[in-house]
Each structure stands twice: as structure tokens, then as C-alpha cells.
Amino acid sequence: YKDVRCGDGLTHWSEECDDGNTNSLDGCSSACRCEDRERCAVYVGPNVVLSSLVTHARPNTTIHLLPGFYNQQEHCYFVVNQTGIELRGEYEGVVFDCSECSSAAVVLVGDGTLFRNIRFRGLALIGALNPVTATLEDCEISDSTRQHLDADETYLIDLQAGLHITGTLPMHVTLRQCDIANNEGGGILFDVPDGQLDLSGCSLHDNKNVYNG
């Protein structure tokens, strides 16, 4: 087993957070414990293993994402286990570019997940185990391509919409002030039985919808 070492950017099962350093008074203590016991706040950049941080986060944790390109495997697939998790882009320039592995994919087990001020080059929200709610606010989902050749290797086929929301249990997803544009496979694909999708102040434009029905 790998030694558990606080400050290595990988949140282990015995840690509440790991922001890649052992400084205190920055939200995550030198012992990798949340300094605010009511609303944990962690500030991280692309050097942190985001998937482990999100998976082990305490309920009601805000993960402040510093500007940069989040394009490694540990940025592109993660599971939200607890309620009230917020991923908030600080300033401008927080970009999830997972185009080489299809798109960023987030499995929602905990309720009330909030994404704020983040740009995704494709995003899949996957409901699992429980009925859940999720909100995207001031986010941009754009320029996803995700294409492959057909069986004859002659035509490019678009795989998914820029935002793909799916699950077998009810999901209520709200989009506020989001821009969904220039996605090769269409803007939004919502395929949740008994689900609800609410849009407020959003802009959808220049998406190429290739679906039939």
C-alpha cells in the first residue's frame, strides 16, 4: 500500500482534504483536515488529484478551482458521494478539457451538487443509486467534438451532446446563466426517466444536433 502522506495532492481515505501542500490557514490544514468544520473550503489547482478530493470530501464542501487546464484522467471522471458539494471556478480560465477521453464525467450519488463558473469541453452527468438534484451556474459547455469513424471508417459520427444527462432514477438538473455552444453532437441530451431539466437565462447556439427523435 502507498504511504499516506498529507500534502501530496492525493486525498486518502484517512484525510478530509489534500490541497497539495502542508500549509495551514488555507482551508485545508497541515494535517489534511478541514479548518472550517461547518463549510469546508479547499483551494486547489490542476496539480491536485481532483477525483480523490471529490470522492472523500465531507458534506457541504466547496472546492475552489484555481485557473488552469484540467485535462488529466484524474480530472475527467469522479464520483460525488456527499451532499452539498460545490465545485467553483475562481476567476476566469478554469477549463475541463477531457476531449481525448470523450468528456468530463461526474457520477452523482450525493444530492445538491453545484458547479459554478467552469468551462467544460463536454460534460456527462450520471445519476446513480439515489434521486439527486444538481445545478450548473455561470458555466460554459462548448466545442466538444467526440467523434469516431463508422464501421466502414468513412464517416465521422458524433457520439454525445455537449451536455449529456443520464440516469435510471429521477434527477432534477437546473442550469442558470449557462452558455452551451459549438458542440458537434448537439447541445443537451437529457435521457432521465421521471427527470426534470430547468433552464434560466441560458444561451444555446451553434450546436449541431445529429439525433433522430
Side-chain angles (χ1 to χ4, degrees), residues 14-35:
S14 60
E15 300 172 328
E16 293 181 342
C17 56
D18 194 320
D19 56 4
N21 64 64
T22 54
N23 301 328
S24 293
L25 303 180
D26 63 353
C28 185
S29 75
S30 59
C32 286
R33 312 295 288 179
C34 292
E35 294 177 320

Side-chain angles (χ1 to χ4, degrees), residues 165-186:
I165 305 169
T166 185
T168 57
L169 294 173
M171 296 175 64
H172 184 181
V173 179
T174 302
L175 277 63
R176 299 194 188 104
Q177 306 299 325
C178 292
D179 187 34
I180 301 173
N182 299 307
N183 297 291
E184 293 290 339

Side-chain angles (χ1 to χ4, degrees), residues 2-137:
K2 183 178 179 179
D3 292 336
V4 176
R5 183 167 59 87
C6 179
D8 62 2
L10 177 64
T11 305
H12 301 272
W13 65 270
S14 60
E15 300 172 328
E16 293 181 342
C17 56
D18 194 320
D19 56 4
N21 64 64
T22 54
N23 301 328
S24 293
L25 303 180
D26 63 353
C28 185
S29 75
S30 59
C32 286
R33 312 295 288 179
C34 292
E35 294 177 320
D36 186 335
R37 303 310 297 173
E38 292 185 5
R39 182 77 193 182
C40 187
V42 186
Y43 292 79
V44 298
N47 60 313
V48 166
V49 182
L50 188 62
S51 57
S52 67
L53 176 59
V54 174
T55 297
H56 293 96
R58 296 174 60 242
N60 302 316
T61 291
T62 298
I63 299 171
H64 299 263
L65 302 170
L66 301 178
F69 282 89
Y70 295 75
N71 56 7
Q72 302 302 311
Q73 183 175 358
E74 57 266 23
H75 304 137
C76 294
Y77 178 85
F78 50 88
V79 180
V80 179
N81 284 315
Q82 300 295 343
T83 61
I85 302 298
E86 177 181 350
L87 283 88
R88 179 187 298 183
E90 292 295 310
Y91 314 107
E92 300 297 329
V94 174
V95 181
F96 280 74
D97 184 357
C98 301
S99 53
E100 291 190 3
C101 56
S102 183
S103 72
V106 182
V107 178
L108 301 174
V109 178
D111 191 37
T113 304
L114 172 61
F115 303 88
R116 178 178 291 168
N117 197 31
I118 302 172
R119 181 188 175 197
F120 296 95
R121 288 196 65 187
L123 173 64
L125 295 179
I126 305 164
L129 300 181
N130 304 300
V132 293
T133 62
T135 301
L136 283 80
E137 186 172 297

